[in-house]
Amino acid sequence: RPDRPEGGIDWNDLQVNNIELNAKDLCFRNGIMTGELLDMTFDEKSGYNVEHLAGTAKVGRGKTIIEDLVIDDPWSEVNLPLFMMSYDNVKAFQDFIALVKLDAEIAGSILDFKTLSYFSPSLSENNLKLDVTGRMSGHIDDFTFTDIVIASHSGGFKGKASGRISGLPEIEDTYLDARLSNFSLTSKGLSHFISQWTNGQSMDLGRFASGTTFRLNGRCAGLMNALKVSADIRSGLGSAKANVRLDNLVTKGSQPGISGSISTEDLDIGKVIGNDILGPVTMKSVISAKLGENPDFVIDTLKVDRLYANGYDYSELTAKGHISANGFDGSIACHDPHLNFLFQGAFALSPKTQNARYSFWCNVGHADLNALNLDKRGISRVNLRASADFTRASSGDLKGKIDVADVVLQN
């Protein structure tokens, strides 16, 4: 096995200290030990410590069965109506992760990722705290979970998951396959969740769709650094679907990313971003993005069937391009009955001099400004061609050329 990351439990060299135990009704008969553990405390050399452990136990013949097990540490409170360990012999505990099978029923538990970080140290910077119920079965390095209901202890998301996890405790080698059902979440809850898997790097999603609860069903499968996610999201503001891959979620120092297809159907983007001019959007897109300190966004394809803006439903919009902190290069086209245009442009900012270079070309074949609610005086149509190639210095001075030609106005 790989070397243990600093701070976690070394399963091949466990060292339990300061054991204090209070038990009653201990009995050994026919090779089976039974009894009631009233209280037990201990600490492990990694720094993990149990403040209270209690339950009714039966040990022998390759099984340890504990009913009404309670485990409290400084961060988590775990309640297991039934917990069972199965093993061929006591030597199996020398490779506890792979050779000791666990079965558990989980009820009314609080699970803090500070606790999990001792079992998988790569989670040490993850501050999630969850309310959990459900069932699990298998070995630590390969187990299934069934009808696990998880909810953020501070609010923001809740739902049910079933699936399989393999590869623990090495989080970068961990494979997850899970089906998500009946999840409810807010933008603030989603933002908090994402930030815990991206080393604190995420967009502030909490400022969008404030007060709206979204319903999600979906599936995620893959390694934690290349996780494929499909999701169907619905709300009173409309619906969205995503089929994406999340990259570099758990590797420290790497730039997290997302790529894949995202679509919406009558999603009220105006209410999502808090803008009264915009309304429902129906679109399909293929995108890729890198998040973090130097974000980078690529639109491979974007097709908009409906975009409500300023009282008009635009249609047949397409776009593609590349956007970064220091530049843009892309195109936009529209073949709406009242607006026909093509725009191509590029922008580049020099990080060293702060000078900016602009270059664009635009052809407006037809624009009915009255129909678009841009000019309400009556008949108002325009077509033109324009191009520009200039530099803006950090002082604000402009140098270059801007051409506007073939202007036709109809009033």
Side-chain angles (χ1 to χ4, degrees):
R1 293 181 181 278
D3 292 339
R4 171 179 61 95
E6 191 68 24
I9 295 173
D10 185 348
W11 293 96
N12 296 316
D13 186 23
L14 291 171
Q15 182 177 318
V16 180
N17 306 307
N18 302 318
I19 300 173
E20 295 186 9
L21 184 149
N22 183 12
K24 69 174 185 178
D25 298 333
L26 298 178
C27 178
F28 183 79
R29 183 181 300 169
N30 298 324
I32 296 177
M33 172 73 77
T34 60
E36 183 176 354
L37 180 62
L38 300 177
D39 183 44
M40 181 178 180
T41 62
F42 63 85
D43 55 68
E44 207 276 332
K45 68 176 182 180
S46 63
Y48 178 69
N49 64 92
V50 170
E51 297 178 334
H52 174 63
L53 189 152
T56 302
K58 181 186 294 185
V59 183
R61 298 179 181 175
K63 291 188 183 297
T64 296
I65 301 172
I66 307 175
E67 296 179 332
D68 299 322
L69 175 62
V70 176
I71 307 173
D72 294 343
D73 63 29
W75 312 280
S76 301
E77 301 174 11
V78 178
N79 297 285
L80 307 177
L82 177 64
F83 176 72
M84 181 169 64
M85 295 186 291
S86 304
Y87 38 88
D88 292 336
N89 51 58
V90 293
K91 290 183 178 180
F93 285 86
Q94 295 177 4
D95 191 0
F96 183 87
I97 292 175
L99 299 181
V100 178
K101 182 176 181 290
L102 309 178
D103 290 275
E105 295 179 6
I106 309 165
S109 297
I110 300 172
L111 185 60
D112 194 310
F113 274 49
K114 291 185 180 68
T115 295
L116 292 182
S117 69
Y118 283 94
F119 299 85
S120 184
S122 298
L123 299 174
S124 60
E125 296 183 6
N126 193 312
N127 294 312
L128 282 176
K129 191 172 186 176
L130 306 175
D131 298 328
V132 182
T133 63
R135 301 189 304 277
M136 65 81 63
S137 178
H139 303 81
I140 288 179
D141 65 357
D142 190 356
F143 66 89
T144 61
F145 53 96
T146 305
D147 294 336
I148 294 286
V149 177
I150 57 175
S152 170
H153 192 65
S154 59
F157 63 86
K158 180 180 180 180
K160 183 184 292 186
S162 296
R164 178 182 178 186
I165 297 177
S166 60
L168 287 172
E170 313 306 329
I171 193 67
E172 292 186 13
D173 297 327
T174 296
Y175 188 93
L176 170 66
D177 187 352
R179 293 193 176 276
L180 313 176
S181 59
N182 299 320
F183 263 76
S184 61
L185 67 157
T186 63
S187 58
K188 183 178 180 180
L190 178 61
S191 184
H192 175 66
F193 180 83
I194 292 174
S195 70
Q196 300 309 310
W197 294 99
T198 57
N199 300 317
Q201 303 176 24
S202 72
M203 296 178 288
D204 179 15
L205 302 178
R207 57 196 172 97
F208 300 119
S210 178
T212 299
T213 298
F214 296 88
R215 306 291 177 183
L216 180 149
N217 292 278
R219 182 183 179 187
C220 50
L223 295 171
M224 298 304 293
N225 275 329
L227 189 64
K228 294 181 179 179
V229 178
S230 60
D232 186 335
I233 306 169
R234 300 179 182 275
S235 75
L237 302 182
S239 63
K241 292 183 178 181
N243 196 338
V244 299
R245 193 178 80 172
L246 307 178
D247 295 314
N248 299 325
L249 292 181
V250 296
T251 300
K252 292 182 179 180
S254 62
Q255 190 171 17
I258 180 174
S259 60
S261 62
I262 299 174
S263 63
T264 67
E265 184 173 353
D266 294 333
L267 179 65
D268 195 329
I269 194 68
K271 291 183 178 178
V272 170
I273 66 174
N275 186 310
D276 294 335
I277 295 178
L278 299 176
V281 175
T282 297
M283 66 88 183
K284 296 179 180 179
S285 66
V286 177
I287 59 96
S288 61
K290 293 181 179 179
L291 309 177
E293 295 182 0
N294 298 299
D296 190 271
F297 188 74
V298 176
I299 303 173
D300 291 323
T301 60
L302 172 64
K303 184 177 184 300
V304 180
D305 293 324
R306 180 193 183 193
L307 168 61
Y308 181 91
N310 195 34
Y312 181 79
D313 274 322
Y314 291 83
S315 62
E316 294 192 56
L317 279 160
T318 59
K320 61 180 180 179
H322 178 203
I323 305 170
S324 69
N326 297 316
F328 163 82
D329 186 0
S331 63
I332 304 172
C334 181
H335 300 290
D336 182 88
H338 298 293
L339 178 62
N340 189 295
F341 81 90
L342 174 64
F343 168 88
Q344 291 181 304
F347 155 77
L349 175 68
S350 169
K352 184 176 181 179
T353 66
Q354 292 300 299
N355 292 340
R357 172 75 181 273
Y358 298 83
S359 177
F360 71 82
W361 176 85
C362 180
N363 183 6
V364 180
H366 171 71
D368 189 331
L369 303 183
N370 182 261
L372 300 175
N373 293 322
L374 298 177
D375 186 348
K376 298 184 179 181
R377 295 175 299 173
I379 296 174
S380 181
R381 301 186 181 97
V382 62
N383 54 277
L384 57 86
R385 290 188 298 107
S387 63
D389 190 356
F390 62 90
T391 299
R392 178 183 60 79
S394 58
S395 63
D397 296 335
L398 300 179
K399 184 178 180 180
K401 63 179 181 178
I402 299 176
D403 294 324
V404 179
D406 298 335
V407 179
V408 178
L409 301 175
Q410 182 179 359
N411 296 106

